[in-house]
Amino acid sequence: MIDTLDLQFLLAIKEHGSLVGAARFLNVTPSAVTQRLQQLEARLDIHLIDRTARRLHFTDEGELLCRKGQTLLEQHKALLEEVMQQHGKLVGTLKINAPFGFGRKYLTAIITQFHRLYPQVEVLLKLSEQPLLEEQDRFDLVLHIGELYNSNLIVHAIAPNQRFICAAPALIEHYGMPSSPQDLLNFPAIALQENNEDTTLWCFEQKSKKQTIRVIPSLSSNDGDVVCSWAKSGLGIIMRSQWDVADALSQGHLIRLLPEWTLPEAPVVALTHRRKGMPERVHAFMSLLKQQFSPQPPWQRR
């Protein structure tokens, strides 16, 4: 009477909001979608969708099919996954959200390795400027760097990560080497806008002493690569994560300023919805992730 393919078809229309959008998603013509919908309604002898020139509206029966159908599809998928896992195979979809720069530099290689180990797991990686502001329920795992504000997600430590103040050799030659945080106010500054943090307030600590300064950036961006490029060109000082500037420091493109002062750390963590009962594919990816950054992350091996 109705099968999983019919339910998936209806949910595609629901999700994309139009027959044309569903056709594009399903890679068929709009007329093919219209014809299939008509055949489904005729087979059930139930009107599912009211269609006008401008919009479509699901009837009560159509809404019920979508709502209950979504649950049935999830149960069907979970059953198949459980059967496959009893034979030692990982299946299903693993949805990951991570920051742009860290995702490009480190996660792509780890996911490549994971895919070779578990080819039947579909991996969806979304890189975002602000992963924590995304719809978190859509993801199995969220990678976060830095302080965590008001999250009800479970935190899994992945790797330590410090923050450094850096500048190009040419900039230091022009302004001189600073001896205290207050000296940094004499330098042009560059700010990275991320995670809704106050990125112009720099808090330093040295033993029992603390100093806080407010920089006024002459350049700002939401892209870490852009910010580092400006800094290497001598346009200003930056505060960046060690993972991001380790290569530039080892190659001499940037120099760390005030190494005797520390900034708040920005550990790399993975966030999940629960600690127990996670799907095996999430466990497997977390294990591989921790393995890649243990006993030392690559930015601390240089």
Side-chain angles (χ1 to χ4, degrees):
M1 193 173 184
I2 189 169
D3 57 25
T4 56
L5 292 177
D6 292 326
L7 294 175
Q8 290 170 353
F9 170 70
L10 275 180
L11 287 169
I13 299 175
K14 181 78 170 174
E15 180 178 353
H16 294 277
S18 69
L19 301 184
V20 172
R24 192 178 299 116
F25 173 75
L26 297 169
N27 197 28
V28 297
T29 64
S31 60
V33 171
T34 299
Q35 184 178 9
R36 181 173 177 181
L37 178 59
Q38 291 171 343
Q39 291 172 346
L40 177 59
E41 289 179 324
R43 185 162 18 111
L44 295 174
D45 193 23
I46 297 173
H47 188 53
L48 300 174
I49 300 176
D50 290 323
R51 302 178 288 282
T52 66
R54 292 190 175 184
R55 62 189 296 271
L56 56 80
H57 176 74
F58 278 76
T59 64
D60 289 344
E61 293 79 7
E63 288 285 357
L64 179 63
L65 266 178
C66 287
R67 187 171 63 255
K68 297 287 188 179
Q70 180 70 56
T71 301
L72 288 172
L73 288 174
E74 290 171 358
Q75 291 173 344
H76 180 260
K77 183 179 179 181
L79 175 60
L80 291 178
E81 289 178 10
E82 187 175 345
V83 170
M84 296 292 284
Q85 286 172 12
Q86 285 189 0
H87 285 267
K89 295 180 180 180
L90 291 188
V91 294
T93 302
L94 176 63
K95 299 178 182 179
I96 305 168
N97 197 359
F100 271 113
F102 191 85
R104 283 193 298 256
K105 192 163 188 174
Y106 293 106
L107 280 192
T108 49
I110 295 172
I111 290 173
T112 298
Q113 184 179 352
F114 181 82
H115 181 66
R116 287 174 177 157
L117 291 171
Y118 309 106
Q120 290 179 293
V121 176
E122 177 189 356
V123 180
L124 187 157
L125 171 65
K126 180 172 182 181
L127 300 181
S128 169
E129 294 173 5
Q130 298 177 324
L132 284 181
L133 298 184
E134 299 280 343
E135 296 178 39
Q136 296 169 8
D137 290 344
R138 296 169 49 200
F139 300 97
D140 300 300
L141 186 148
V142 177
L143 265 291
H144 178 71
I145 300 172
E147 191 171 350
L148 194 60
Y149 298 97
N150 301 325
S151 175
N152 58 358
L153 298 176
I154 306 301
V155 180
H156 307 264
I158 300 298
N161 173 57
Q162 295 177 282
R163 284 188 170 119
F164 294 160
I165 304 297
C166 303
L171 194 73
I172 297 171
E173 184 177 347
H174 181 77
Y175 287 92
M177 184 66 74
S179 58
S180 74
Q182 290 297 321
D183 291 343
L184 297 177
L185 296 175
N186 299 320
F187 287 72
I190 302 169
L192 174 67
Q193 307 296 336
E194 62 177 354
N195 294 332
N196 278 353
E197 293 181 10
D198 187 350
T199 55
T200 62
L201 188 68
W202 296 359
C203 303
F204 296 85
E205 188 169 349
Q206 183 191 67
K207 296 181 181 178
S208 59
K209 293 191 297 183
K210 294 183 179 181
Q211 285 193 32
T212 300
I213 63 172
R214 170 77 68 180
V215 298
I216 301 175
S218 54
L219 294 168
S220 299
S221 175
N222 63 346
D223 189 298
D225 288 345
V226 170
V227 165
C228 286
S229 176
W230 285 337
K232 286 187 283 187
S233 297
L235 300 182
I237 57 174
I238 56 171
M239 178 176 67
R240 287 300 295 131
S241 282
Q242 185 182 9
W243 72 261
D244 194 23
V245 295
D247 288 337
L249 290 171
S250 64
Q251 295 162 8
H253 299 309
L254 292 174
I255 294 174
R256 182 183 176 188
L257 306 181
L258 304 177
E260 67 278 11
W261 290 85
T262 60
L263 292 154
E265 294 190 351
V268 181
V269 299
L271 307 173
T272 60
H273 296 285
R274 54 194 176 196
R275 192 177 301 277
K276 296 181 179 179
M278 286 192 300
E280 279 302 314
R281 57 184 174 273
V282 179
H283 273 297
F285 184 78
M286 289 270 287
S287 297
L288 185 61
L289 193 61
K290 291 179 179 180
Q291 176 186 326
Q292 296 301 309
F293 296 114
S294 178
Q296 271 190 319
W299 51 87
Q300 291 187 352
R301 298 173 199 160
R302 294 172 174 81

